[in-house]
Amino acid sequence: MNRDKRAKRHNNKNNQQNKKEYRDRSEPLPKHSQFRPHQAVTPQQIQEEDRAIAEYKSSHQIVCPKCNKMITDMSSAIQDKSGSPIHFECAMEMVSANEHLDNGDKIAYIGQGRFAVLNYPNIRDVRHFSIKKIIEWEDRGERAAWRDEMADLYSQVR
C-alpha cells in the first residue's frame, strides 16, 4: 500500500475524499461498466473460415488482363482503368511505358492508388528527392468491389 502512505505523507485531500466516496457508495456499479469477456473463436469456426477462403480462391481465379497470368496474391493487386485487378508489376510497367524519364528520374508507388515520377539530384543519395509528377492510377472516390470481397473474407474483426 505504498500509494496510501504517499497520499497521507503528501496530505492529498482529493485521494482521501475519493476513498470516502467509494466506501459510502450505496448503489452498485452500473451494469455497463462490468467486464464481459469476449467469446473465444472455436477451432470449428477457424476451419469453416479456412474452407470458405479456399472455396473463394478456387472459384475466383482472377487473370491479369495485361499479362494473362493468374493473380495469386490479391493483396498486392491494383485496379486498372477498367476496374478489374491487375498485377502491381504490370501496372508499374504500364506507367513506365507512358512516362518519359530524364536522368535521375524514377517511378515509384506513393500510396492511395498513385504513382509518382521522382527526381534524385544525386543518384547515390536516395534520401533526398523531389516529386516531379503525380500519376493518379486509381480513382480515390470509388472502391473496387473485388477489394470489398477480399476484405470481408479475410477480416479478423468479429
Side-chain angles (χ1 to χ4, degrees):
M1 290 285 165
N2 290 337
R3 186 174 214 177
D4 291 337
K5 289 179 185 176
R6 188 171 64 236
K8 288 178 184 175
R9 188 174 342 133
H10 294 290
N11 197 14
N12 189 343
K13 294 188 186 227
N14 288 335
N15 192 21
Q16 293 169 356
Q17 183 68 25
N18 289 341
K19 283 182 186 178
K20 183 179 178 193
E21 287 175 5
Y22 183 76
R23 278 187 299 230
D24 295 344
R25 188 182 313 181
S26 58
E27 72 271 352
L29 290 173
K31 288 189 176 187
H32 67 272
S33 67
Q34 292 178 354
F35 175 73
R36 293 183 205 135
H38 296 288
Q39 293 182 354
V41 178
T42 64
Q44 294 164 338
Q45 288 174 325
I46 293 171
Q47 288 175 350
E48 288 174 14
E49 289 173 358
D50 288 344
R51 197 175 316 114
I53 290 170
E55 182 180 318
Y56 179 84
K57 283 183 176 181
S58 66
S59 66
H60 290 83
Q61 294 184 358
I62 298 173
V63 176
C64 176
K66 183 176 185 315
C67 66
N68 294 324
K69 294 181 182 176
M70 191 173 81
I71 300 174
T72 56
D73 186 14
M74 288 297 291
S75 63
S76 68
I78 192 166
Q79 180 178 340
D80 72 348
K81 300 296 180 188
S82 67
S84 60
I86 62 172
H87 293 110
F88 178 80
E89 293 81 13
C90 293
M92 188 72 125
E93 287 176 14
M94 292 170 70
V95 170
S96 297
N98 293 335
E99 292 300 320
H100 172 72
L101 300 178
D102 294 331
N103 200 11
D105 288 354
K106 184 178 177 181
I107 295 178
Y109 183 74
I110 58 172
Q112 298 178 345
R114 299 180 303 169
F115 291 92
V117 177
L118 306 178
N119 180 271
Y120 295 94
N122 181 359
I123 297 172
R124 293 185 183 112
D125 183 14
V126 294
R127 294 179 298 160
H128 298 94
F129 62 90
S130 60
I131 297 176
K132 288 176 67 176
K133 181 180 178 182
I134 294 177
I135 304 158
E136 296 285 339
W137 184 262
E138 292 181 337
D139 184 21
R140 283 192 191 187
E142 183 180 321
R143 186 173 170 145
W146 59 270
R147 286 192 191 268
D148 289 335
E149 286 181 45
M150 295 301 295
D152 290 343
L153 193 61
Y154 287 98
S155 177
Q156 298 294 316
V157 180
R158 302 281 177 245

